[in-house]
Amino acid sequence: MGIEWSAPRGSMPDGAWHAVACPRLRAESDLSQDLAQGEVFALRIGNLQAIASVYGGDFADSVSSEVLASLQVFIASDPHVFGKICSRATGVFDLVLTARDSTDGVSRAQCRQKVAIWCSAIGRRALAFGARSVHVLASALTAGSMAGDQGVPGECLLAQAHARLECAQICAMARLDGFDGYQRDMAIVAELYEQLNRDQLQFAWKPVRHLENDTSLYYRGMLSALQADGGAGEWDASRKAMHRLGLTAAFDQHALLQAIDLLAGSEVGPIAVAVAASSFQSLCWWEPVLARLRACRSLGRRLFIAIDGTCAFVSVSAAAALADELRALGCVIVFERMGNDNGSIASLLALRPDVITIEAMFLRLTLESARDLDLLRHLLGVAMAIAPVVVLEGVDTRALAKNAIVVGGLWGAGEHVGAARWILPRCPATGAAWHVNVDHFRRQLALPRYVGERA
């Protein structure tokens, strides 16, 4: 018989799991044949252990059961995903899915997109039990794909998938700054996702411009709520709460796809959308984004993908590989907030960003002393040795703009450069010019020779 599995305590009614073609009920030869024909996916609830630590093991069991039931519905509705194995130890939920090659034209890439959509749908939904509710990080990675003539036993392939899950760092661990802090952050994230699901968030656009003329490099989009005074809602606090909990993936995917829809439907100039550094690796949730960019290469030429360096990369090598793939599709890679705790020089050399922005704190410090002015000048020089285009953040006043120019800065972002606006310009405004010649811009992004190949 096939591989054994163990379900979480109280996870499913008797027989419900088996009703969706559990491999345990299939002959091993049949299972091997099925697995040898398709793709294997490994799924995980990345923050289940943290939920168990804060809310207790019984609550985590309920969360695990709810996610399992949701996946059961998705799987049962799709004939292309047919086999699965669930194994669970304390604080762990791992699920392996197998998808066979379809006879009706559904490719493996499309199967990856479906799995990504499932994970996103689960991540955007609040799981409520009594007075408490949480969001989960449901992440998936491709554990292998096999051609029918390779004859690899299904048991071996499934073992590979489980081994991949054991080694995978699917998300950065949440920092548990006290249980009360965790629950406060979860409430902030729940409110943000509720606004997202109700379509109450829209992009507020902040310009990145040349410091000595009106040339726009790009507009940086932030999904925000419209306030009573017409301004954008507090964004940083919500985003930082998501970073701390590691719950950015579904939000980031939505923002990227919405930005691509905007580019596809209008002639706007280059725009940038930020994703968390912890989200920046080749998990399945990127597949719908990559598919859209592959289908229309002109979209990537107007899309700057900004990596928010507030949190750390899960894997620098995986981030570098994804950056290369996105660059090949025309996208410009931006690393934001160099100089904070997570933007090491080694990471930046491996990533090879096209644009670097420098943490606003360093420009603000220049108002204190000449020594801090020299510090920013040296930091700017290091950044320009890695990425020829460097942006100084925090240009909020005329005095700060002057200091930014004194140290050699060319590009800036902040209130003095331009406040956030809801309407994105569709054509050059009077006295301003879009920096839209991407080919020319690309030629300016020639890396120094010593950056070279990554290890």
Side-chain angles (χ1 to χ4, degrees):
M1 297 296 288
I3 313 296
E4 293 290 324
W5 64 280
S6 58
R9 286 178 285 162
S11 63
M12 298 281 291
D14 290 343
W17 180 259
H18 295 166
V20 197
C22 175
R24 187 177 178 181
L25 300 182
R26 306 169 65 93
E28 185 173 315
S29 59
D30 294 339
L31 179 62
S32 299
Q33 181 62 31
D34 288 337
L35 289 172
Q37 292 176 351
E39 194 103 358
V40 178
F41 301 97
L43 290 88
R44 171 168 291 169
I45 303 176
N47 61 332
L48 190 63
Q49 190 171 8
I51 289 172
S53 297
V54 174
Y55 300 97
D58 290 341
F59 186 87
D61 283 345
S62 298
V63 170
S64 178
S65 300
E66 188 70 18
V67 173
L68 197 60
S70 297
L71 286 168
Q72 181 196 21
V73 172
F74 288 133
I75 293 165
S77 67
D78 195 322
H80 304 295
V81 178
F82 58 92
K84 54 200 168 299
I85 290 181
C86 177
S87 66
R88 182 174 186 252
T90 303
V92 176
F93 174 97
D94 290 346
L95 184 70
V96 177
L97 303 178
T98 57
R100 61 184 170 190
D101 286 338
S102 173
T103 57
D104 62 359
V106 178
S107 67
R108 292 178 181 177
Q110 288 172 303
C111 287
R112 288 193 289 271
Q113 289 185 55
K114 289 181 181 181
V115 173
I117 290 169
W118 297 350
C119 291
S120 180
I122 291 169
R124 289 175 61 164
R125 175 190 169 199
L127 304 179
F129 305 95
R132 295 173 172 177
S133 65
V134 297
H135 281 262
V136 299
L137 176 63
S139 300
L141 50 84
T142 302
S145 57
M146 309 300 294
D149 59 356
Q150 287 183 285
V152 176
E155 183 170 313
C156 294
L157 189 53
L158 288 170
Q160 282 182 344
H162 281 287
R164 181 87 186 270
L165 276 169
E166 285 296 317
C167 297
Q169 294 176 302
I170 289 185
C171 72
M173 282 297 295
R175 296 197 296 271
L176 297 178
D177 299 328
F179 294 164
D180 290 343
Y182 188 93
Q183 294 184 57
R184 280 196 301 271
D185 280 348
M186 188 64 77
I188 293 171
V189 171
E191 181 180 0
L192 190 64
Y193 271 109
E194 183 177 4
Q195 292 174 325
L196 184 71
N197 294 333
R198 291 181 178 180
D199 202 23
Q200 294 175 339
L201 301 181
Q202 57 182 305
F203 279 118
W205 302 98
K206 296 192 76 169
V208 174
R209 288 196 174 120
H210 199 282
L211 291 170
E212 297 188 271
N213 57 52
D214 290 325
T215 302
S216 296
L217 181 63
Y218 59 86
Y219 273 73
R220 209 268 206 184
M222 303 169 291
L223 281 175
S224 303
L226 179 65
Q227 301 299 293
D229 61 0
E234 177 58 40
W235 187 81
D236 263 355
S238 301
R239 185 76 181 181
K240 287 176 181 176
M242 280 201 301
H243 285 171
R244 285 191 293 266
L245 299 185
L247 295 175
T248 58
F251 193 91
D252 289 344
Q253 184 195 53
H254 175 88
L256 281 171
L257 290 174
Q258 188 168 326
I260 291 172
D261 286 340
L262 175 65
L263 291 173
S266 63
E267 295 300 322
V268 296
I271 61 175
V273 176
V275 301
S278 58
S279 292
F280 201 79
Q281 56 176 323
S282 295
L283 298 174
C284 282
W285 78 259
W286 278 92
E287 191 59 42
V289 175
L290 296 172
R292 291 288 304 278
L293 295 174
R294 292 187 196 108
C296 184
R297 295 298 181 106
S298 64
L299 297 178
R301 292 165 57 83
R302 292 181 286 151
L303 181 60
F304 286 51
I305 296 181
I307 303 167
D308 189 335
T310 303
C311 55
F313 291 111
V314 174
S315 166
V316 174
S317 60
L322 179 58
D324 288 344
E325 187 172 5
L326 289 165
R327 251 191 300 263
L329 294 172
C331 299
V332 175
I333 304 300
V334 181
F335 182 86
E336 294 187 331
R337 300 184 178 182
M338 175 184 174
N340 66 18
D341 292 343
N342 301 306
S344 72
I345 300 301
S347 296
L348 292 176
L349 287 173
L351 187 69
R352 299 185 301 169
D354 303 316
V355 181
I356 287 175
T357 77
I358 294 180
E359 174 68 48
M361 173 191 70
F362 293 96
L363 181 59
R364 293 176 186 139
L365 286 173
T366 63
L367 297 177
E368 303 294 329
S369 70
R371 180 180 179 181
D372 292 319
L373 204 64
D374 287 337
L375 172 64
L376 179 58
R377 184 180 289 110
H378 289 306
L379 184 60
L380 182 66
V382 172
M384 292 180 68
I386 300 171
V389 177
V390 179
V391 176
L392 291 173
E393 297 192 40
V395 187
D396 295 327
T397 66
R398 185 181 297 275
L400 289 170
K402 178 181 177 181
N403 284 358
I405 293 170
V406 165
V407 299
L410 296 178
W411 302 96
E415 292 300 312
H416 181 75
V417 172
R421 55 188 298 176
W422 294 112
I423 304 300
L424 184 65
R426 294 176 180 269
C427 59
T430 303
W434 276 105
H435 195 81
V436 295
N437 190 337
V438 179
D439 287 335
H440 173 74
F441 180 65
R442 283 284 186 195
R443 287 195 291 272
Q444 306 308 308
L445 298 178
L447 285 169
R449 282 178 292 179
Y450 58 79
V451 172
E453 294 295 324
R454 297 186 300 276

